Each structure stands twice: as C-alpha cells, then as structure tokens.
Amino acid sequence: MAKKRVGKPVRAVAKTKTKTKSKAKAIVRRAVKRTARATKYIYFFGNGKADGERSMRDTLGGKGAGLAEMTNAGLPVPPGFTISTDVCSLYYAHKGRTPESVEAEIAVHVRKLEKAAGAVLGSTTNPLLVSVRSGSKFSMPGMMDTILNLGLNDVAVEGLKARTSNGRFAFDSYRRFVQMFGSVVLEIPKAVFEHEFDSVKRERGVSLDTDLDEQALRDVVSRYKRVVRSKTKRDFPQEPHEQLAMARDAVFRSWMNPRAQEYRRIYDIPDHIGTAVNVQMMVFGNTGGRSATGVGFTRNPATGAKEFYGEFLINAQGEDVVAGIRTPQPITELKKVMPKAYAQLRDITSRLERNYKDVQDFEFTVEDERLFMLQTRNGKRTGYAAVVIATDFVAERLITQKEAVLQVDPESLSQLLAPGFDPAEWKAIPVATKGLPASPGAASGQVVFTAEQAVKWSDAGTPVVLVRRETAPDDIHGMFVSQGILTATGGMTSHAAVVGRQMGKPSVVGASELEIDEDAKVCSMGGQAIREGDFVSFDGLTGEVKLAKVASKPSEILQVMTGELKAGKSDICRRFMLMLTWSDKYRRMGVRANADQPDQAELAYAFGARGIGLCRTEHMFFGEGRLPIVRRMILADTEVDRRAALAELLPLQREDFYGVFKAMHGEPVTIRMIDPPLHEFLPKREDLMVAVAKLEAKGATGAELEEKRVLLRRVEQLHEFNPMLGHRGVRLGITYPEITEMQTRAIIEAACQLTKEGGKVTPEIMIPLVGDVRELRDQKMIVDRVAKAVMKERGVRAKYLVGTMIEVPRGAMTADKIAAEAQFFSFGTNDLTQLTFGFSRDDIGKFLRVYQDKKILDRDPFATFDVEGVGPVVRAGVELGRRARPDIKLGVCGEHGGDAASIHFFESVGLNYVSCSPYRVPVARLAAAQAALAVKVGD
Ligand code: PEP
Ligand code: MG
C-alpha cells in the first residue's frame, strides 16, 4: 500500500519541467514528506488521541484499529502503539529480520509510551510493563501468540513490588512472563513449566494458583529460569528492549505457525496480509480481590439474544479466562462485586455497539476497581445468532435493511438449515451430563479423544464427536471434521466455544462432571465409563449430553418449508425469510436451482428458487425400475432394439418432466440432455469379471452366466481411457440421435400436457459439452424437428428454447459462433474448471492438499471459482456470446453457483442468474445481493 502512494509525487515531479526550480524543489520536498508519511510503520495511541482509526484494519489489524478507535472516543484505554502489518511483510522479506529503520521508529515510540505511562521500561523504581499481542485484519482467535508482563527482570520485579507494595502480585506477574516468553519466544514446551509449577504447588500443599504466596512464586521464578538456562544454554534475557524485539519477532513468526496456516486455509484468509503487533502498557487484573479481567459480547453470540454476555475472573490475568484454566463467573456477577466498574462497562460497550453498528466482542481489565478497555471488535457468532441479531438491529433502527443484508455471512443461512434431534426421542434418553451450550445444533457420533483420531476416523466415513478436556488451537483440524465438540473445562468464550461457533459446529463446553483420561482413551460421564468409539450425542443449544446414538431431525426452517410446521410457529423462520426478502430487494441476478426430481424442485421453489438452471436427465435414469431399461438401451445391437428400450423410458421421463414443470409454477426449467458416458449405467468391469469367474468356477452354464458375459463384453467395448474426455455429452446425442429424439419428445409432450391443462411452462433444452457450433447445430435440428412433430400431434403450441452449456474452453472461445444457434448459455464451471486447469475433478483430492500446503493453490478451484485462470474463459464466453446475440440468457450451473465468493465474480461479469443445489438457494440469494451492492460501489 505504502509503495502505491509513493508513486504519485514522482509522476508529479516529471510533469513540472516547465515550472521554476524552486517550485520543483517544493514538490520534491512534499514528495519526500509524503513518502515519509507513506512509510509510517508505527501508530501510537494514548491520552485520548490515536494516529490510526477504525477503517485502518489493513494496516493496524482488527485489534489495533479497535484500540485506536476507542482511544479517539475518549474511552479508558491503556496507551501503546501498533507495529503495522507492513512490518510483518518486511520481516519476511528480510528473511526473519526487522529492518533497522523500523527498529529506530519503534525506539521513538517506546519513549513516547514511557512518557504517556509515566514509567520506564526496565526501571528499578517505576518499571513500565507491556503486553505484546498479535492482531491481523481478520480475527484468528488463539491462533497466534501473545506475551504479557514484558519488561520484567530481576530488578524491575523488585521495583514493581516497591511501587505496588504487593510482592505476591509482582512475582506472580514475573513467573507468568518467564513462562509465556519461554514457551512462545524461546520455544520451550509449556508442559516443562507446568511441571515445575505443579511441583511447587504440591510441595506447598495447595491446589489453586492463587494460594501460592510471594515466597512460593519466587521459587517458581527461579525454577523457570533454571529451565530456560538448561534448555537454551543462556540466561533468561534481562534487557527489556531485547525482550521486546524478541517478542515482536516471535509474534511475526507465529503468523506462519501450522495452526494459523490451517485456520487461514479453512477460512480463506490470504497469507500475504500478515499480522500487526500491539505493544500496550499493562494494566493488572491480578493485583488482588479488587481487580479482575474478563471478556464479553454485547449480545449472546450463540443465540443472538439481546443480553449482556460474558465472563470474568477476579484476581487473574488476560489469558486465564480464554484458556479455561479456572472456570470463570458470568459477567452479571460483576455487578454485585464491582458495581461501578460494571455500570461503566455496560455503558461503554453499548456505546461501542451503537458506534460500530454491530455486536462487540470486548476484553477488559479492572485494576483496583478502575476499568480499562483492552479490545473491541465485531463479535463472531453462530449463523443462528447472525440472523437474530441482524433482524433485531433493523427492528431497533440501529441499521437499515441494506446494512443487515451486508452484515450477515451467507453461510449463516446454510447453518440454519442444519438438523436437530427429534424432541420426543431426545427427551426419552436420560441426561448423562450437562455443559455450557456454546454453539447450537445436534451432534451425534463416536467418541474420539484426539484431533488426529478425529481426522482419521472421519476420513474413513465415521461420524465422530471430539471429546477433550479443553481444546487448543492445535486441535483445529480435528474440530473441523467432527460432528461436534465436547469439553470438560472452559467457559462460553473458551477456545472450543469460540471456534465451534464460528465453524457452525455444535459445541458443549465446560461439562465439569466429565473426567477424561486422554492417554487411556477413556472418560467418565454420569458415573459411566466411555471408551473411544462409544456413541455420544449432545444438543448445542441446551448443553445436554447423552450416551446414545440419536438420529437428528430437519431444522425448524426445513420443517416449515416442507409444511410439517406452521410458519407462524417458528420465530427463526420468520427472521430467515425477512433476511431473504430484504436480499431480494438488492440483488440483480436471478437464483435458480439444480434439481432433477419434482420433490427437489418443490423444496427449491420454497427456498425461493425461481427456475431450474440444471435438470440432469441422466439422474432420472437411476430411478426405481429404470436401470434395467437403460441397460437394455445400451446393450442393444441394433437401432430398432435401442428405440424399443427408449420407448419404454419415454413415459417415465415425461412424467418426471411434468412433475418438475408443475413444481416450478411457470418459471423456466433448463433440461440438459444425457451427459455421462454410457458405461456409468453398467456394472463395474472388475465386478463383472469376478462374477463371471466365480460362475465359471462353479461350473455354471445357464442364462445367468451368459447374461454376465454379454454385459462384460459390452462394458469392455465401452471402456475408455479417459471417460471424462471421451464419449459423453453432445457426442452421445450425435452418435445416438434416437436418445436426443426420445428426450425431446418427453420434454415437449410434458410441456404440451401442462399447457393443455392451463399451466405455464417454458422448457429450455440444453445440449452439454459443446465445443464447436456444428455439434450444436446437429442436435438443434433434431430437437426442432421432434418438437414440431409433437406439437402437431398434440395440437398444442408450447414455447421452448434451445441452448447449450459452455463447459469446454473451445466453446467459450468460439461463443460468438455458438450464440448464433443458442438462445442461452449456461456455464458449466465444473467441467470448465476441469478442462481449463487440466485437473480431473474426480482425482484432484489426491494432490489438492499438497498443492495447498505448498501454496500452489489457495483454494479448491472446484469449490471456489478460479477468477484468475478460469475467469477470463467465462468472460470471453460472455462477451462473445452477447456480441453475437445481445439478448442471450446467461447463467451458471456448476457447483460455484452456490458459493458466495464465486457469486461475486458472476455478478461482476453480468450473468443473468446463478443455479445451485436447493439447500444453497438461500445462501445464493443473500450472496447475490451482497455482490450486487459491492459491484455497485465498485468493490
Ligand atoms: C458442470 O460441468 O459445471 C455441470 C454443471 O455439469 P456436470 O457437473 O453434470 O458435469
Ligand atoms: Mg458438465
């Protein structure tokens, strides 16, 4: 960013040839000044004024921008400075070194901070202590590192003791610092420190950390320092500026740790944006009973309810709450113990919510009854909460409908369609234990105790529930694949809760009766032992855990859609519909569904699909009793035999088409002619070979053996080395025109029948895999001939269109010629991606992960459209197609049609509609609205 801004003055200088020398000098001076401003790397905040502000998340990260904003708003924020994300890029560009010029800028800001704090780093009488915390543009809870109490050393700790007259507090802070620094910066395993800490507790006969006195904590510090010496072969660094530089670089390094990388992969966060580092004066929640630390949300992030929500711990420091080491108290209790701080906190946080027009996730510390704000950011929430909060905000006039549309992540709507348990069945099973309802949804699966096991079993198709004492960021891959997450410790803002909610994974946390022995792979719950592989189920909305396998039930919204539940009985369905109605006001593109059966079409219509964008007719061939007819058609040696089998299929296809047309209430229905290679309808070659060999071994001679031999011969004839590039799509219709004839007849007969009954329908007959206009011309002639004949026979005129899929790159590059014959195009981005990349869509799984790990691919191109490489192919298809036929209808029916990020691209090229699976229709409606709004403002 900085570099771009530098460019302007240089051009300005070049244009000033005719101007006087002094003017040119002035411009150069201004340029130099601007350059200096452009390369500002450190942003100060304190004493009511900040260099940055909330819109600077790219540069300051979310945390830095929030701290700047709160400082500017006059809120009680300890002073500090943010080292920008640009420095992180420099750190990596300089092979793990922060440039000296930046070091110098940091040194200036340390002095400024010392002045604002009225304390000096490393002072023996009045030491300044700071926190060093990561903070990227997108919050990545717990994924990167943090160091607290930095600045302490053997003399400063005595200074802290003298200043606060609290030796216990001083040494508690020091032992925390050595441990954090030791594990994060010096990379000594945490367990080594924990072992020492536990030994001291055991020797003193205490169980709580807070029971250790100053002397005991001095002992802990000495032991920790010995650990550092033995593990790193050097003493614990005593010089605070060196500590700061080492901590800063460790935070930069943590950007690339495996769990942060995994997190970014899951959430599509680019690697190149880097993290900022916030250095801030410490305030202390661990000075005694009048101090506390806590985290909270302005609304319930699990249910969206309008309630002040959060947790705190008395006499504790920052990370204790999130780490789940002690079970915190609900934030409402703070009202009783520190009423003044509580009232101030409520006031500040509601002001923040109004200011940001969004739920705030905040962190605070109370030091000797004085409140300090340490963070505010838009809170992560479940899909359920997102919809409740956005609709409440509109009702409260805090945001407009348009802002609500922009606020909700489209994926939230798909979370709302997740299943729950049948209430009667669930009630009948006794409750084994209860935990905190951290993330709603029904989870049922076999117990695993490690993330690795979760991945292994779920890869093998076993649904698993991950049971942990507490989860850590390292568990993220296991959490991702589990049906749900159950933990024994931690509160509603613990790692498992935060991440579970964000992933939309049902989660129950802090089920304190749960005793887990992760090594022995056993836990006990409600007095019963549970081993790895046993079934457990829980409800993430109530926190109830049960020892059984329980089938889940469709979501409330789905029940309304299918008519099982009255719409008026479901509050969430009302809100869901509101969101979609608002979305429809802003979207430009239509949303259709990919559906092959009448019931799917009905559901899609209920979800708001206005048209079918893809009806894969071959799916109808797999219907009950149809496969034998299809096989007869394929096995036929003569055209006469083939036509006889096709005649049997005709009424069945006609019936399906009629049902789909009816379900769509007159909206357009795109029907694609048969696409896959024919051998897909026959048994597998290897299976047939085994069956024949077995029968032969048994000495069988009858009809069964003969039938299997015939089948095997035909399968061998049809065998292809590259079926995806072989005899499929339009090539089938060209070699077997009678298939196209039968399918056209079925479509037009169904349309005539419905038209006769007074119904409305416009079938769009779609020819797949066209790469040359002559292929389309060949098929179109058949379609038109048969359609004409059928209409004549039936004495009915039915409107229909003929078009094609653009899914072969050659088709896109010759789209002008193809458009001369095609009334519409539907971009088949599955095949188009396959053929543009040359990646087999069925085999990419074997190497995709390696490609992603090696940063060759950021995303799976079959899930999220590849704008860079496949994008120009689609763009060419659109432009050439429109040039030849300006009113051509353009849509997309590949999987990308239901993916929010891809929809943005389709909006930008001006497609008329997207088509996706029925369940993705709500997501597509909202995403299309967001894309239209973004494209309008030039995003
Ligand atoms: C496509 O290729 O994008 C498409 C929709 O067709 P199919 O997935 O059936 O090949
Ligand atoms: Mg295709």
Side-chain angles (χ1 to χ4, degrees), residues 614 616 672 675 724 728 768-769 805-807 827-832 834 841 893-894:
L614 175 64
R616 291 179 166 102
R672 180 180 72 184
D675 183 51
M724 272 292 175
R728 58 171 288 221
L769 224 69
M805 289 185 81
I806 297 289
E807 50 184 347
F827 287 91
T829 49
N830 303 335
D831 273 308
L832 199 57
Q834 168 168 262
R841 53 199 268 195
C893 62

Side-chain angles (χ1 to χ4, degrees), residues 441-463:
S444 187
Q446 289 174 255
V447 170
V448 288
F449 293 104
T450 63
E452 284 64 40
Q453 200 69 343
V455 171
K456 213 159 134 194
W457 285 22
S458 76
D459 277 353
T462 306

